[in-house]
Amino acid sequence: METELSRQLGIEHAIFGFTPFPAVAAAISRAGGFGVLGAVRYTAPDDLARDLDWLHGHADGKPYGLDVVMPARKVEGVSEADVEAMIPEAHRQFVRDTLAEHGVPELAEGERSGWRITGWMEEVARRQLDVAFDRPVRLLANALGSPPADVVERAHDHGVLVAALAGSARHARHHAEAGIDVVVAQGYEAGGHTGEIASMVLTPEVADAVAPLPVLAAGGIGSGEQIAAGLALGAQGVWLGSLWLTTTEARLGSRALTAKLLAAGSGDTVRSRALTGKPARQLRTAWTDAWDDPAGPGPLPMPLQGLLVAEAVSRIQRYEVEPLLGTPVGQIVGRMNAERPVQEVFDDLTRGFERAVDRINRIAGRNWS
């Protein structure tokens, strides 16, 4: 499953695996893919440094990358405390009322929220980059548009490729103009932040828009046959995220959440602003329903919503309050029906890819076996 991009990065299979778990990223790289660690949950540089060092030590010398979330435009002089102060009291009360309705206990005295999505804030993301560029990461991906120009330049100075996610051909062309090396065409089916165009339409549009830049297909991909389809549409690889959530190396920290993922069908997700303030595909829960209800106050814009709900999400996860318990995940969740090691998932992907290639060859009247 080699392409020009996979050969450039020195990986066996053009499968890029995004994950918040270092053990999963390391296993993806060991299996011949390219593990990409998500940095958004790291607020302390020392924690990110520790996990990147662990990843490096367990990737068997294989390459890996880091995914950050930072805006293209810098906002000077705005701290996390300044942003917190912008949250209306009515929204804080709505959170309290929703948690009380479902009997969610308070955190223990002195226990701080373990879920603080602040990595999209300029000051936090730049501290993450300081850590990353001190280590041999091979790819820096940004999930919130093109990174600032100085970040792209700094990455290139360190020999690091820069990738950015795009939900439309227009976004992709902007990335190309900003000097991005790889465009991830993330379709509507994907988990997390995503646009409104499905992968089957988006991938060839983006590939045509930015040629000859390499494109990775993302969204709704969870089988080798779908990987083959993405490459046939013009991509040089695929970007998979949701599929790794039910691997044995993942550390969701909640058996109840894992059970919900394993039981969910492809129709059990919703594209909602409840988690971060930007539309993000996630499991549909009583929590997303409450925020999407027209009778409620509605979600705040990013990053206010993420700061507002941080402690609430920690409490929901800590006490495994099933009706409210969810996570970002794509429509491919309908295929995630068993806990399996990353290597087993990889073996299944490569076998499926081979089946798809053989099938097309037979249709085309070729027999190369």
Side-chain angles (χ1 to χ4, degrees):
M1 208 181 300
E2 288 187 353
T3 65
E4 184 178 346
L5 178 61
S6 70
R7 287 189 289 271
Q8 180 181 358
L9 287 169
I11 58 177
E12 183 179 0
H13 302 296
I15 298 174
F16 294 71
F18 165 81
T19 173
F21 307 113
V24 176
I28 291 168
S29 291
R30 289 197 306 270
F34 191 94
V36 182
L37 180 65
V40 72
R41 67 189 180 93
Y42 292 95
T43 57
D46 288 348
D47 291 342
L48 178 60
R50 177 201 64 215
D51 282 1
L52 277 176
D53 289 343
W54 187 97
L55 170 55
H56 181 75
H58 290 79
D60 288 355
K62 303 296 179 63
Y64 55 88
L66 187 72
D67 179 278
V68 299
V69 180
M70 65 185 307
R73 295 183 179 85
K74 184 173 182 177
V75 180
E76 299 284 357
V78 178
S79 68
E80 183 178 334
D82 294 330
V83 176
E84 287 260 20
M86 300 177 190
I87 298 173
E89 177 57 31
H91 282 73
R92 296 187 187 276
Q93 187 60 50
F94 182 76
V95 170
R96 290 192 289 267
D97 291 344
T98 303
L99 296 177
E101 178 184 347
H102 291 273
V104 182
E106 298 278 353
L107 294 175
E109 186 175 352
E111 184 177 356
R112 190 175 183 272
S113 167
W115 192 94
R116 296 285 288 179
I117 292 187
T118 56
W120 52 64
M121 297 186 67
E122 181 80 13
E123 59 186 89
V124 178
R126 287 187 177 274
R127 289 198 297 268
Q128 294 171 346
L129 294 177
D130 290 338
V131 171
F133 290 137
D134 280 341
R135 285 156 179 82
V137 299
R138 295 290 307 280
L139 177 78
L140 175 69
N142 189 43
L144 197 64
S146 303
D150 69 294
V151 171
V152 176
E153 182 178 0
R154 187 179 177 192
H156 289 164
D157 287 344
H158 282 80
V160 176
L161 295 181
V162 181
L165 276 65
S168 71
R170 177 176 61 85
H171 293 156
R173 281 190 289 267
H174 177 76
H175 293 334
E177 292 165 2
I180 300 303
D181 304 293
V182 181
V183 176
V184 181
Q186 178 150 297
Y188 173 82
E189 308 95 324
H193 297 135
T194 184
E196 299 180 346
I197 304 174
S199 298
M200 182 64 73
V201 174
L202 181 66
T203 302
E205 283 189 352
V206 170
D208 288 345
V210 301
L213 283 184
V215 170
L216 300 179
I221 299 173
S223 73
E225 289 84 354
Q226 290 169 315
I227 293 174
L231 298 186
L233 292 171
Q236 285 198 31
V238 293
W239 177 276
L240 310 182
S242 298
L243 194 64
W244 317 110
L245 289 173
T246 52
T247 56
T248 54
E249 292 90 344
R251 296 289 182 267
L252 284 179
S254 169
R255 294 305 305 171
L257 181 54
T258 299
K260 289 187 76 169
L261 288 170
L262 295 174
S266 56
D268 292 327
T269 68
V270 63
R271 191 167 163 269
S272 171
R273 295 170 53 218
L275 190 61
T276 69
K278 287 178 68 69
R281 187 169 297 284
Q282 55 203 280
L283 282 179
R284 182 176 181 176
T285 65
W287 180 254
T288 62
D289 286 348
W291 282 104
D292 295 340
D293 188 341
L300 295 168
M302 179 186 273
L304 299 180
Q305 183 72 9
L307 293 172
L308 168 65
V309 306
E311 181 179 324
V313 172
S314 284
R315 289 165 60 184
I316 292 166
Q317 293 176 346
R318 169 71 174 79
Y319 299 107
E320 297 191 324
V321 183
E322 198 276 340
L324 302 176
L325 191 61
T327 186
V329 69
Q331 291 179 330
I332 199 63
V333 70
R335 294 182 65 98
M336 296 157 49
N337 301 318
E339 290 186 82
R340 300 185 294 164
V342 166
Q343 184 64 62
E344 186 176 323
V345 173
F346 244 86
D347 292 342
D348 190 45
L349 293 174
T350 55
R351 284 193 297 267
F353 180 81
E354 291 170 356
R355 286 194 301 269
V357 172
D358 288 344
R359 185 181 305 121
I360 294 301
N361 283 335
R362 287 196 302 272
I363 292 171
R366 301 187 181 99
N367 184 0
W368 295 343
S369 59

